């Protein structure tokens, strides 16, 4: 913990340095960062689960306290306006005493609508960063989530501090424990619903604490890319299992996927091939490499796998260029990871907000950035039998390049995705997911 406090101090220095830089560039006194407010459910007296502003939790591992604020100017100790109402209905946040508290000036707010008393006087010189523009208006902010400030912060947050890297390793280690428990539950015959319960209890995190809705899919459900339905009844035959599930540590996310075959068969061999290919792509990561090029390289490698498994025929380039590989692998290779699962900044060429679009043929790619030291990314190639994407191939000459019998053989298994979380270092890459023992 002492080590974490040490790294945290440097983390705050780096965030302060960034604030000093952007506020001088934009002629601002500083930033006021709002944790958020509860969202009330329609016609109800209950709120949706609270999701904190990522720019707030960048400063502190406080993810569950709405109506709190950070006032940062790049020079002074950050000031935290910490919400502690008199409330006997809900749990009131404890006064912070964790490792981070000594690096922050903490003042307490007992009534959410009295925050103006604790904010800087000439608020017009400060920029509001948060979700509630109506609140910002009432408080008198004129600079609200401006593109220039957000682009700057989002660009630089891709460069993780050592404190953040420790948190992300922890998020991986925790999720790996859950993945191992989930794998055992699958082979022991658990349903999708039961597997998720096993996963969550292994990591000791609730459904609203994990960084995204976990995907736990048996058989053909593995072909539904964002499947979160969770069948409670087991299928008649057990073929395959895809789990895409992460964990949270101090507000930082892991995002991991594994796929398993219930028996040794062609699908199991295909998982081995995809796993090897995923590791080859990770081996290509280093500073200076463009992420979009890795995505394209993955399509070429996938084309060869599809040829080897007699799913398609033809030459590798033609299969990619005609969009045949895209019908089997429709999503992006991965994305930046951090405070958010799909961390902001994946398309930024610079800190002024210059956007690099995805290649036209690959609209779902979420990262076009050039890799640099201390970035964290997922690498998550997939291959699926998705009939709605394969149907157009049947409408033209591409149908002759697909072996529909092999497609029929693979359909009951749904699909494969293998997803690891990787840190780019100057001399090497660090695969956090495998490091904690989650292999094929
Ligand atoms: N779990 C969401 C993703 O892999 O991007
Ligand atoms: Mn992902
Ligand atoms: Mn994922």
């Amino acid at each position: 913990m002492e080590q974490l406090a040490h790294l945290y101090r440097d983390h705050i220095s780096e965030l302060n340095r960034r604030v000093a830089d952007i506020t001088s560039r934009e002629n601002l006194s500083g930033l006021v960062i709002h944790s958020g407010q509860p969202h009330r459910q329609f016609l109800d007296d209950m709120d949706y689960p609270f999701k904190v502003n990522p720019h707030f939790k960048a400063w502190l591992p406080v993810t569950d306290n709405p109506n709190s604020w950070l006032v940062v100017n790049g020079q002074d100790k950050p000031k935290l306006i910490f919400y502690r109402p008199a409330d006997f209905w809900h749990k009131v946040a404890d006064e912070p005493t964790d490792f981070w508290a000594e690096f922050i000036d903490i003042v307490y707010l007992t009534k959410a609508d009295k925050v103006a008393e604790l904010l800087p006087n000439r608020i017009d010189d400060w920029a509001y960063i948060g979700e509630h523009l109506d609140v910002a208006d009432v408080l008198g902010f004129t600079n609200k989530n401006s593109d220039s400030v957000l682009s700057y912060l989002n660009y630089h947050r891709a460069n993780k501090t050592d404190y953040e890297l420790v948190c992300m390793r922890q998020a991986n280690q925790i999720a790996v424990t859950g993945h191992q428990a989930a794998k055992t539950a699958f082979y022991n015959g658990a349903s999708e619903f039961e597997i998720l319960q096993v996963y969550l209890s292994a990591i000791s995190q609730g459904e609203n604490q994990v960084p995204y809705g976990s995907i736990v899919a048996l058989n053909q459900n593995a072909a539904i890319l964002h499947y979160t339905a969770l069948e409670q009844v087991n299928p008649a035959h057990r073929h395959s299992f895809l789990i895409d599930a992460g964990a949270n540590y101090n507000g930082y996310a892991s995002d991991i996927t594994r796929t398993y075959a219930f028996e040794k068969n062609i699908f199991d061999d295909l998982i081995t091939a995809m796993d090897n290919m995923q590791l080859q792509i990770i081996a290509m990561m280093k500073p200076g490499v463009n992420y979009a090029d890795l995505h394209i390289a993955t399509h070429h490698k996938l084309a060869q796998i599809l040829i080897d498994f007699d799913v398609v025929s033809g030459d590798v380039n033609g299969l990619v260029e005609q969009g045949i590989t895209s019908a089997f692998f429709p999503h992006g290779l991965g994305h930046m990871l951090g405070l958010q699962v799909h961390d902001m900044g994946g398309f930024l060429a610079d800190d002024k907000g210059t956007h690099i679009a995805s290649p036209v043929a690959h609209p779902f790619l979420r990262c076009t950035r050039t890799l640099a030291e201390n970035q964290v990314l997922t690498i998550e190639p997939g291959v699926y039998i998705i009939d709605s994407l394969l149907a157009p191939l049947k409408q033209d000459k591409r149908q002759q390049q697909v072996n529909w019998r092999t497609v029929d053989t693979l359909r009951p298994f749904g699909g494969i995705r293998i997803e690891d979380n990787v840190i780019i270092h100057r001399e090497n890459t660090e695969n956090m997911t495998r490091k904690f023992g989650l292999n094929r």
Side-chain angles (χ1 to χ4, degrees):
M1 213 34 127
E2 209 169 294
Q3 169 73 350
L4 197 62
H6 186 74
L7 295 176
Y8 178 74
R9 189 193 56 199
D10 294 346
H11 172 72
I12 291 296
S13 307
E14 170 60 15
L15 294 191
N16 261 333
R17 193 195 60 73
R18 292 179 195 167
V19 171
D21 196 20
I22 186 61
T23 51
S24 94
R25 189 192 287 182
E26 295 296 310
N27 218 359
L28 291 162
S29 296
L31 310 181
V32 176
I33 308 172
H34 190 187
S35 70
Q37 287 186 350
H39 282 280
R40 187 56 44 106
Q41 297 177 31
F42 183 52
L43 298 182
D44 209 329
D45 60 356
M46 276 176 264
D47 298 326
Y48 290 104
F50 176 67
K51 298 291 171 189
V52 67
N53 173 0
H55 290 286
F56 183 89
K57 65 174 171 166
W59 290 81
L60 329 142
V62 172
T63 56
D64 57 358
N65 202 10
N67 302 312
S68 295
W69 302 73
L70 270 162
V71 180
V72 290
N73 66 5
Q75 266 125 45
D76 302 324
K77 222 175 175 183
K79 173 172 159 181
L80 171 65
I81 302 174
F82 195 71
Y83 186 52
R84 295 197 75 226
D87 182 345
F88 57 89
W89 294 105
H90 307 102
K91 169 157 172 60
V92 174
D94 294 326
E95 289 191 13
T97 53
D98 283 353
F99 67 91
W100 54 270
E102 66 175 294
F103 301 99
I104 307 286
D105 267 339
I106 305 174
V107 296
Y108 295 100
L109 175 68
T110 51
K111 292 199 166 64
D113 58 1
K114 296 285 185 222
V115 69
E117 295 166 11
L118 300 172
L119 289 175
N121 287 335
R122 295 180 43 191
I123 207 68
D124 203 30
D125 295 340
W126 294 70
Y128 173 86
I129 309 287
E131 188 189 345
H132 298 275
L133 299 179
D134 48 342
V135 175
D137 281 337
V138 170
L139 291 168
F141 287 96
T142 50
N143 188 322
K144 292 166 287 189
N145 298 332
S146 69
D147 284 343
S148 48
V149 175
L150 286 183
S151 294
Y152 180 94
L153 296 177
N154 290 336
Y155 180 80
H156 289 286
R157 74 188 234 201
N159 182 354
K160 271 46 182 194
T161 63
D162 288 342
Y163 162 78
E164 293 181 296
L165 295 179
V166 167
C167 294
M168 298 197 69
R169 289 187 191 103
Q170 285 290 329
N172 264 265
Q173 188 167 18
I174 296 166
V176 164
T177 311
H179 273 264
Q180 281 159 340
K183 175 182 177 181
T184 303
F186 164 65
Y187 284 112
N188 287 341
S191 69
E192 292 173 349
F193 180 82
E194 288 163 342
I195 294 171
L196 180 60
Q197 306 315 311
V198 166
Y199 178 85
L200 293 173
S201 78
I203 66 167
S204 299
Q205 294 188 11
E207 245 176 302
N208 291 325
Q209 290 172 301
V210 289
Y212 59 93
S214 310
I215 297 171
V216 175
L218 297 180
N219 298 352
Q220 238 177 304
N221 293 337
I224 302 169
L225 296 180
H226 286 168
Y227 177 80
T228 50
L230 295 174
E231 292 277 358
Q232 303 213 7
V233 177
N234 260 322
H237 298 283
R238 184 167 286 252
H239 300 295
S240 61
F241 170 42
L242 183 152
I243 173 165
D244 183 343
N248 224 312
Y249 188 80
N250 282 355
Y252 291 85
S254 54
D255 176 11
I256 300 172
T257 309
R258 285 294 181 271
T259 312
Y260 304 99
F262 195 60
E263 289 161 346
K264 292 257 168 268
N265 50 29
I266 178 182
F267 186 73
D268 192 50
D269 293 340
L270 187 55
I271 294 174
T272 303
M274 291 296 290
D275 189 67
N276 287 335
M277 184 262 262
Q278 191 248 18
L279 290 173
Q280 287 168 24
I281 295 293
I282 291 173
M284 294 163 68
M285 299 173 87
K286 60 177 181 195
V289 168
N290 185 274
Y291 195 84
D293 291 342
L294 292 178
H295 175 84
I296 303 296
T298 305
H299 273 269
H300 285 85
K301 288 180 182 293
L302 177 63
Q304 189 59 54
I305 290 175
L306 293 174
I307 294 168
D308 294 346
F309 279 78
D310 199 23
V311 180
V312 300
S313 56
D315 72 286
V316 161
N317 288 338
L319 289 163
V320 175
E321 276 152 28
Q322 295 172 82
I324 295 176
T325 54
S326 292
F328 291 94
F329 171 37
H331 59 75
L333 177 61
H335 47 87
M336 300 208 140
L337 182 70
L339 292 160
Q340 291 167 287
V341 175
H342 299 152
D343 226 21
M344 301 290 292
F347 298 106
L348 292 174
D350 56 40
D351 66 12
K352 309 242 170 4
T354 309
H355 183 92
I356 321 167
S358 302
V360 175
H362 300 273
F364 300 118
L365 182 59
R366 287 197 182 94
C367 179
T368 53
R369 256 173 102 151
T370 299
L371 301 183
E373 213 181 322
N374 295 329
Q375 289 178 355
V376 179
L377 298 112
T378 71
I379 293 288
E380 48 181 305
V383 61
Y384 314 85
I385 305 300
I386 302 174
D387 286 317
S388 62
L389 296 180
L390 295 175
L393 304 185
K394 286 191 172 154
Q395 304 305 311
D396 54 45
K397 65 179 179 10
R398 292 177 297 178
Q399 63 174 293
Q400 288 142 20
Q401 284 180 260
V402 178
N403 182 345
W404 297 101
R405 277 223 302 266
T406 314
V407 169
D408 291 341
T409 304
L410 291 174
R411 185 176 292 102
F413 298 91
I416 298 169
R417 180 163 64 257
I418 318 268
E419 178 174 25
D420 288 345
N421 303 168
V422 179
I423 305 173
I424 309 293
H425 296 297
R426 193 179 320 154
E427 303 293 347
N428 66 306
T429 55
E430 179 182 339
N431 186 331
M432 294 183 278
T433 312
R434 306 254 174 177
K435 191 167 113 173
F436 292 114
L438 189 65
N439 290 313
R440 144 114 175 64

